[in-house]
Amino acid sequence: MGVAEVSVVGEQRERTRARPSFGMPLAVGVVAAALFWVVHGALIDDSYITLSYARNLAFHGHWGLIGAEVSNSATAPLNVLVLAAVMEVVRQPVVALGVVFVLANVVLAVSLRSAARTSGFPGWTGALGALLVAANPLVLSTVGLEMTLASALLGVLLLAAVQRRPVLFGVAAGLLALTRLDLGVFVLVVLIGRPGLWRGWWRWLLAAAAITLPWFAFSWLYFGSAVPDTLVIKQLQKSWGDWDFSNGLELYHGVFPTAVVVSLIPAALGLVCLPIACVLRAFRRAASLWPWALIGLGAVAHYYVYTLMGVPPYHWYYAPSLIGLSLLLVGGIGAVAAARWSLAALAGCAVFAAQAWFVGQHGLPWREAAITTNWATAADYERIGTDLGRLVGDRTVSSPGEIGALAYYCDCAIVDGFSDRGYLAPQIQQRLADATPFVRALLEFNYRHFVPAEPRPIDENLRREPGPGPDPRWNIDSNWAEPAHLLLEPR
């Protein structure tokens, strides 16, 4: 074959690679839709907090967990805004959640495919990466929270790092900040490890500022806090006895051993890839894998930061690290696939097969999340919440400790620190008292416009009591908690 013919063949291949293909995004979307059907009836309690915020915003133009009070406890404002926008169209909160879940996984797949092709890896690794994230049992146990949206944005961040696109990097960084501030750890690690992005620093800085500043300024002036109140609420909770973030996976493994092991497989393999990628980088080999390694380093850094903070081991706190290391694994598979296609494809499919096996054996559809710390299933709270709304009417009732699903289904004035900001002022004072001088100064600036209010007067108390109760419809249990019942009584 002559030089001219080789050139023509190369150009044809490049056009084929660049030609948009809708088969892969469609396939990922179909699988994501099937996964959502599996989990849609097994959402955890905190997912219903997000759904309640989005429903109140979409249907009533109100920012709050309950219609009776303005609150600022939505940890992921962007997730609420996106859900509310879709809800305006479909008018069904759970359907809107399914649409966002599918679209986020498609965005992740397309971003990874573009990043893979730019890196010289096969495009199919994009679909593999999206499926490994979407089917992860722990990530599936967070559906309704911000982790699916975060995974899509981490894919965009990776794409920006691979292609050295400052504006796209700034957009991804800004959206990640609006999703959850702690995801900025990934942004910082990529910035440090990808100095080429600094040549266009003003582009990504302006893009990030244009996205984040309007919301943070509005929140600071309107709610009296630029960041969600959960920053204070969660930090005050500290540990669960002997268990905190540092050893929480051990706690979950004791209760949900199979789910935890299957969830950790891609992360563990990603950890194996990390030192290899770093050594290759040091010897100026496999440079195309380095941006993928930076996402893995961000995952490790995120885990380390949460360990230092000593926060409770909520299972969704581990999701960013699992997602980041899974993306690094996909990069490693792509790098191997460039030389040994069949071996890399077999390894990736084996990991996904293990996840698919677990999803199926846990039940179709799931009755409750594979990993959960809730006292009751979503079905229990739906039944009780519907009764509660009918019984309390316009009266105010105290939360028994888990408020999300009850607030969603009762659509009544059920209150605690997440729905009523009247409880926040003492928590702020306690956090200020425990803070270092620097952190105290930041908190004081953040709450400069905060106006304390009295808690809403409570008419009835809703309490959780051990064992079965007199009304079997108000009995609750879960794979995490012992059987109990909820009891409603006058204040």
Side-chain angles (χ1 to χ4, degrees), residues 168-297:
L168 183 63
F169 178 83
V171 169
L175 294 176
L176 282 167
L178 289 182
T179 301
R180 253 180 45 185
L181 280 175
D182 56 277
L183 296 174
V185 172
F186 288 89
V187 177
L188 182 60
V189 170
V190 172
L191 268 180
I192 293 172
R194 202 66 167 164
L197 289 169
W198 282 97
R199 285 194 290 269
W201 65 268
W202 58 273
R203 296 179 182 176
W204 59 255
L205 184 61
L206 286 177
I211 288 172
T212 57
L213 289 182
W215 172 262
F216 287 137
F218 167 77
S219 181
W220 187 52
L221 295 172
Y222 185 75
F223 300 120
S225 172
V227 299
D229 295 333
T230 45
L231 181 68
V232 167
I233 296 172
K234 296 293 186 181
Q235 286 182 332
L236 288 177
Q237 292 178 353
K238 299 297 182 184
S239 61
W240 299 342
D242 295 330
W243 304 101
D244 61 15
F245 184 84
S246 65
N247 59 2
L249 287 175
E250 181 183 349
L251 169 65
Y252 289 124
H253 182 264
V255 184
F256 313 107
T258 306
V260 170
V261 169
V262 174
S263 298
L264 290 178
I265 289 174
L269 294 174
L271 275 176
V272 172
C273 294
L274 186 56
I276 298 174
C278 291
V279 169
L280 290 174
R281 170 68 173 178
F283 286 93
R284 302 182 183 277
R285 303 289 297 275
S288 58
L289 186 58
W290 181 240
W292 304 73
L294 290 175
I295 299 297
L297 285 170

Side-chain angles (χ1 to χ4, degrees), residues 22-398:
F22 300 102
M24 184 275 282
L26 179 62
V28 170
V30 170
V31 175
L35 288 171
F36 182 78
W37 172 81
V38 169
V39 304
H40 79 279
L43 305 180
I44 61 173
D45 193 69
D46 282 63
S47 297
Y48 284 101
I49 292 179
T50 303
L51 283 178
S52 293
Y53 265 93
R55 183 179 63 182
N56 285 330
L57 180 61
F59 297 165
H60 309 294
H62 170 76
W63 191 272
L65 174 55
I66 60 176
E69 294 286 339
V70 172
S71 53
N72 190 33
S73 58
T75 306
L78 181 63
N79 197 32
V80 173
L81 293 169
V82 171
L83 279 171
V86 178
M87 220 174 282
E88 280 276 6
V89 178
V90 302
R91 310 305 293 177
Q92 295 292 329
V94 176
V95 174
L97 177 59
V99 171
V100 173
F101 179 82
V102 171
L103 291 179
N105 281 291
V106 169
V107 170
L108 175 60
V110 172
S111 298
L112 292 180
R113 180 177 65 179
S114 296
R117 287 177 170 174
T118 304
S119 302
F121 307 155
W124 56 260
T125 54
L128 176 63
L131 294 178
L132 290 182
V133 170
N136 187 296
L138 188 143
V139 176
L140 281 175
S141 298
T142 71
V143 171
L145 298 180
E146 60 277 2
M147 285 301 100
T148 303
L149 180 61
S151 68
L153 294 175
L154 286 175
V156 177
L157 186 76
L158 171 63
L159 176 61
V162 168
Q163 298 183 347
R164 294 184 176 90
R165 296 169 60 182
V167 174
L168 183 63
F169 178 83
V171 169
L175 294 176
L176 282 167
L178 289 182
T179 301
R180 253 180 45 185
L181 280 175
D182 56 277
L183 296 174
V185 172
F186 288 89
V187 177
L188 182 60
V189 170
V190 172
L191 268 180
I192 293 172
R194 202 66 167 164
L197 289 169
W198 282 97
R199 285 194 290 269
W201 65 268
W202 58 273
R203 296 179 182 176
W204 59 255
L205 184 61
L206 286 177
I211 288 172
T212 57
L213 289 182
W215 172 262
F216 287 137
F218 167 77
S219 181
W220 187 52
L221 295 172
Y222 185 75
F223 300 120
S225 172
V227 299
D229 295 333
T230 45
L231 181 68
V232 167
I233 296 172
K234 296 293 186 181
Q235 286 182 332
L236 288 177
Q237 292 178 353
K238 299 297 182 184
S239 61
W240 299 342
D242 295 330
W243 304 101
D244 61 15
F245 184 84
S246 65
N247 59 2
L249 287 175
E250 181 183 349
L251 169 65
Y252 289 124
H253 182 264
V255 184
F256 313 107
T258 306
V260 170
V261 169
V262 174
S263 298
L264 290 178
I265 289 174
L269 294 174
L271 275 176
V272 172
C273 294
L274 186 56
I276 298 174
C278 291
V279 169
L280 290 174
R281 170 68 173 178
F283 286 93
R284 302 182 183 277
R285 303 289 297 275
S288 58
L289 186 58
W290 181 240
W292 304 73
L294 290 175
I295 299 297
L297 285 170
V300 174
H302 189 276
Y303 192 98
Y304 179 67
V305 168
Y306 264 63
T307 300
L308 288 180
M309 291 170 62
V311 293
Y314 292 106
H315 68 271
W316 55 90
Y317 286 178
Y318 299 96
S321 294
L322 296 189
I323 293 168
L325 288 171
S326 296
L327 298 189
L328 170 56
L329 171 63
V330 172
I333 289 174
V336 173
R340 298 186 178 183
W341 184 92
S342 57
L343 177 63
L346 181 63
C349 290
V351 176
F352 178 69
Q355 295 177 334
W357 166 81
F358 178 84
V359 169
Q361 69 87 35
H362 192 62
L364 296 175
W366 287 5
R367 177 178 175 269
E368 59 183 308
I371 301 174
T372 178
T373 53
N374 292 150
W375 300 331
T377 65
D380 288 339
Y381 280 140
E382 178 180 6
R383 184 182 65 249
I384 296 170
T386 303
D387 285 350
L388 182 65
R390 184 173 60 253
L391 290 171
V392 302
D394 295 332
R395 298 190 299 278
T396 301
V397 59
S398 65

